[in-house]
Amino acid sequence: MPKTLPSRADYRFFLEIPTRWMDNDVYRHVNNVTYYSWFDTIVARFLLGSGAIDMRASPVVGVVVETMCRYHAPVAFPETVTAGLRVERLGNTSIRYGIAIFREQEEIASAEGHFVHVYVDRATLMRPTPLPEALRQAAAALVVDLTDGGRPGAD
Amino acid sequence: MPKTLPSRADYRFFLEIPTRWMDNDVYRHVNNVTYYSWFDTIVARFLLGSGAIDMRASPVVGVVVETMCRYHAPVAFPETVTAGLRVERLGNTSIRYGIAIFREQEEIASAEGHFVHVYVDRATLMRPTPLPEALRQAAAALVVDLTDGGRPGAD
Amino acid sequence: MPKTLPSRADYRFFLEIPTRWMDNDVYRHVNNVTYYSWFDTIVARFLLGSGAIDMRASPVVGVVVETMCRYHAPVAFPETVTAGLRVERLGNTSIRYGIAIFREQEEIASAEGHFVHVYVDRATLMRPTPLPEALRQAAAALVVDLTDGGRPGAD
Amino acid sequence: MPKTLPSRADYRFFLEIPTRWMDNDVYRHVNNVTYYSWFDTIVARFLLGSGAIDMRASPVVGVVVETMCRYHAPVAFPETVTAGLRVERLGNTSIRYGIAIFREQEEIASAEGHFVHVYVDRATLMRPTPLPEALRQAAAALVVDLTDGGRPGAD
């Protein structure tokens, strides 16, 4: 467990996501699975908004190789959450995003995790391929340095 | 099929719903199933916002007995849609809602359908029970008369 | 509402579908939305199993234009349901499937509805196109005549 | 990344889970989010099957505090996958489950991850509470020792 929970200031790109009725499970809180639908939504919105990736036509495709989430406090429909995004590692063929979920008016994350994309060529969906330069530049703007006693991720 | 498609003016309560990445299916459009998650989200938001129903404690519960949707034009992530809600039949123990989905900037519905709640007592979830008066009043404000050559629903 | 509820004998193709934990909502029953994920799963399994449609390469694609479900009795995780499929109308460019959901050991449907595919060319996803002959033959084997005082669908 | 991928022999409890049409995303593989719906389904099936927890009435409730998944190879509808479950850490108030997803006929996991439950009292959903003895015994039967050069999880 991280010593301190991340706050909004630790992220660089934000997206409001309203909860849906179905997101709640029998315990009247958003089910653990749903958080990951928010994670891949904010990553996709960042990618589309950056203009760096055309999901229909780009010669490379991001394949998800690892995701993780820690749940610190519950969230429930009908809340609107804010997802925060940062880049925790910008590799040659991969990007590790850090993502946090904030309740309205709250500075401290209710949940946080990561999402790792490896870029592969579209034809095989297998062969790792260097990040396109436009994507590298867009992602670089979200990089947060986690080494200075910061809040490390899971590994 | 209705002769004319419904427009925003045919609905009384609106909610913006951003699509999520997962909503798209292999044909790159929002899957037919997802529309129903929007349907029960707008109904729940109306109910909660009206103050007429406390989902945790009300002695009566709305049980869904029928839903229907007609899909006129595709919608795709990352669009934000607007859901429109109206009441098409306000019964003694039931409410039939009409719901339409509008793309941004569009007046004509991309999809429309209905959603029927029967109210039952919370203990058994079986016995139909008259609508609470506060709910009846809130729902009455959304009633749209469909008999004057309007746009009838499915049955 | 139908006068009598459909039974297993009214359907021609069956698929067992285990519920998932997330399928339940706050009322501890499967949410109304989830039934539609079962509907399009049994249609897709029928199409793939028939060999009549190659979802990746066929020149025509089935686009969903209408779905409907009536919920007669609740279902809950961890039950495994059986979905039943039949063809209620085999048109020139469209197929209307009837679908019912049966609980284990039960002959009478807990839910029933329909699902209408219009076939369009893959390039535009717009222009209705005659059903491929192999698909027509596969679907013909599931046709059930509903005219003899049977159990009509919604419209 | 683990040096070697886990195999079926590394797990103790198994569940077949058919994919659903909606599980596939635009890349024609099961979306990363869906794996977590399989994770909480196998955990819930184990708990219900063990008789150790009555989800409706037990005085304690398992709250999910962390989940993680690594995706090694794609899975696609209409496959049926097999989920494998083990206990990686049996604490005083928490259980860490290891879960893997196997394609049909394959011995090596296509995906693997973990899922951590902390038990809390039902009233507050907050206060950690010792595992009920029946649950501890059921979980003990699934414990796999990971210390002898095994395949450690993420942390």
Side-chain angles (χ1 to χ4, degrees):
Chain A
M1 297 283 284
K3 291 188 188 63
T4 56
L5 297 180
S7 69
R8 291 180 188 244
D10 297 318
Y11 294 84
R12 295 292 174 266
F13 176 82
F14 296 91
L15 180 68
E16 291 203 345
I17 303 177
T19 54
R20 299 177 182 174
W21 165 255
M22 269 189 86
D23 294 343
N24 278 6
D25 69 10
V26 300
Y27 296 123
R28 297 175 180 280
H29 296 137
V30 172
N31 181 269
N32 68 89
V33 179
T34 301
Y35 289 71
Y36 290 99
S37 79
W38 301 340
F39 283 18
D40 73 0
T41 294
I42 191 173
V43 171
R45 287 287 294 269
F46 160 67
L47 291 172
L48 289 168
S50 74
I53 288 283
D54 173 344
M55 289 198 180
R56 186 182 288 267
S58 290
V60 298
V61 169
V63 169
V64 183
V65 297
E66 182 175 311
T67 55
M68 195 274 286
C69 186
R70 293 197 186 100
Y71 311 88
H72 302 302
V75 170
F77 177 84
E79 290 182 89
T80 290
V81 298
T82 299
L85 185 74
R86 67 187 181 195
V87 170
E88 295 181 349
R89 192 168 52 222
L90 185 51
N92 183 41
T93 61
S94 69
I95 301 176
R96 173 179 157 138
Y97 297 96
I99 302 164
I101 301 298
F102 300 94
R103 300 179 66 187
E104 287 171 51
Q105 321 292 350
E106 293 196 0
E107 284 299 309
I108 301 301
S110 293
E112 30 114 26
H114 64 251
F115 179 104
V116 183
H117 256 161
V118 169
Y119 277 82
V120 296
D121 63 297
R122 181 179 293 268
T124 66
L125 291 185
M126 294 289 286
R127 200 164 28 227
T129 302
L131 304 179
E133 187 54 29
L135 173 57
R136 176 176 305 279
Q137 287 181 20
L142 303 190
V143 169
V144 170
D145 184 359
L146 298 173
T147 56
D148 57 347
R151 302 168 185 84
D155 57 4
Chain B
M1 297 283 285
K3 291 189 187 63
T4 55
L5 298 180
S7 69
R8 290 181 189 244
D10 297 317
Y11 294 84
R12 295 292 173 266
F13 176 82
F14 297 90
L15 180 68
E16 292 203 344
I17 303 177
T19 54
R20 298 177 182 174
W21 165 257
M22 269 189 85
D23 295 342
N24 278 6
D25 69 9
V26 301
Y27 295 122
R28 296 175 181 281
H29 296 137
V30 171
N31 182 269
N32 68 88
V33 179
T34 300
Y35 289 71
Y36 290 100
S37 79
W38 301 340
F39 284 18
D40 72 2
T41 294
I42 190 172
V43 171
R45 287 287 294 268
F46 160 68
L47 291 171
L48 289 169
S50 75
I53 288 283
D54 172 345
M55 290 198 179
R56 186 182 288 267
S58 288
V60 297
V61 169
V63 169
V64 183
V65 296
E66 182 176 312
T67 56
M68 196 273 287
C69 186
R70 294 197 185 100
Y71 311 88
H72 302 301
V75 170
F77 177 85
E79 290 182 89
T80 290
V81 299
T82 299
L85 185 74
R86 66 187 181 196
V87 169
E88 295 181 349
R89 192 166 54 222
L90 184 52
N92 184 41
T93 60
S94 68
I95 301 175
R96 172 179 158 139
Y97 298 95
I99 302 163
I101 302 298
F102 300 94
R103 298 179 67 187
E104 288 172 48
Q105 322 291 351
E106 294 196 0
E107 283 300 309
I108 301 301
S110 293
E112 31 116 25
H114 63 252
F115 179 104
V116 184
H117 257 159
V118 169
Y119 276 82
V120 297
D121 64 295
R122 181 180 293 268
T124 66
L125 291 184
M126 294 288 286
R127 199 164 29 227
T129 302
L131 303 179
E133 187 54 30
L135 172 58
R136 175 176 306 279
Q137 288 182 20
L142 303 190
V143 169
V144 171
D145 183 1
L146 298 173
T147 57
D148 57 347
R151 301 168 185 85
D155 57 2
Chain C
M1 297 284 284
K3 290 187 188 66
T4 55
L5 298 180
S7 69
R8 291 181 189 243
D10 297 318
Y11 295 84
R12 295 293 174 266
F13 175 82
F14 297 91
L15 181 68
E16 293 203 343
I17 302 178
T19 54
R20 298 177 182 174
W21 166 256
M22 270 189 86
D23 295 343
N24 278 7
D25 69 9
V26 300
Y27 295 123
R28 297 176 180 280
H29 296 137
V30 171
N31 180 268
N32 69 89
V33 178
T34 301
Y35 289 71
Y36 291 98
S37 79
W38 301 340
F39 283 18
D40 73 0
T41 294
I42 191 173
V43 171
R45 287 287 294 267
F46 160 68
L47 291 171
L48 289 168
S50 74
I53 288 283
D54 172 344
M55 290 198 180
R56 186 181 287 267
S58 289
V60 298
V61 169
V63 168
V64 183
V65 296
E66 182 175 310
T67 56
M68 195 274 285
C69 186
R70 294 198 186 102
Y71 311 87
H72 302 301
V75 171
F77 177 83
E79 290 182 89
T80 290
V81 299
T82 299
L85 185 74
R86 65 187 181 195
V87 170
E88 295 181 349
R89 191 166 53 222
L90 184 52
N92 184 42
T93 59
S94 70
I95 302 176
R96 173 179 158 139
Y97 298 95
I99 302 164
I101 302 298
F102 300 94
R103 299 178 67 188
E104 287 170 52
Q105 320 293 350
E106 293 196 1
E107 284 300 309
I108 302 301
S110 293
E112 31 115 27
H114 64 251
F115 179 104
V116 184
H117 256 160
V118 169
Y119 276 81
V120 296
D121 63 298
R122 181 180 292 268
T124 66
L125 291 184
M126 294 289 286
R127 199 162 31 227
T129 303
L131 303 179
E133 187 53 30
L135 173 57
R136 175 176 306 280
Q137 287 181 20
L142 303 190
V143 169
V144 170
D145 183 1
L146 298 173
T147 57
D148 57 347
R151 302 168 184 86
D155 57 3
Chain D
M1 298 284 283
K3 290 189 188 64
T4 56
L5 298 180
S7 69
R8 290 181 189 242
D10 297 318
Y11 294 83
R12 295 291 173 266
F13 176 81
F14 297 91
L15 181 68
E16 293 203 344
I17 303 178
T19 54
R20 298 177 182 174
W21 165 257
M22 269 189 85
D23 294 342
N24 277 6
D25 68 10
V26 300
Y27 296 122
R28 296 176 182 280
H29 295 136
V30 171
N31 181 269
N32 68 89
V33 178
T34 301
Y35 289 71
Y36 290 99
S37 79
W38 300 341
F39 283 18
D40 73 0
T41 294
I42 191 171
V43 171
R45 287 287 293 268
F46 159 68
L47 291 172
L48 289 168
S50 75
I53 288 283
D54 173 344
M55 289 198 180
R56 185 182 289 267
S58 289
V60 297
V61 169
V63 169
V64 183
V65 296
E66 181 175 310
T67 56
M68 195 274 285
C69 187
R70 294 196 185 103
Y71 311 88
H72 302 302
V75 170
F77 177 84
E79 290 182 88
T80 290
V81 298
T82 299
L85 185 74
R86 66 187 180 195
V87 169
E88 295 180 350
R89 191 167 53 221
L90 185 50
N92 183 42
T93 61
S94 70
I95 302 176
R96 174 180 158 138
Y97 297 95
I99 302 164
I101 302 298
F102 300 94
R103 299 180 66 187
E104 287 171 50
Q105 321 293 349
E106 294 196 0
E107 284 300 309
I108 301 301
S110 293
E112 30 114 28
H114 64 250
F115 179 104
V116 183
H117 256 159
V118 169
Y119 277 81
V120 296
D121 63 297
R122 181 180 293 267
T124 66
L125 292 184
M126 295 288 286
R127 199 163 30 227
T129 302
L131 304 179
E133 187 54 29
L135 172 57
R136 174 176 307 280
Q137 288 181 19
L142 303 191
V143 169
V144 170
D145 183 0
L146 298 173
T147 57
D148 57 346
R151 302 169 184 84
D155 57 3

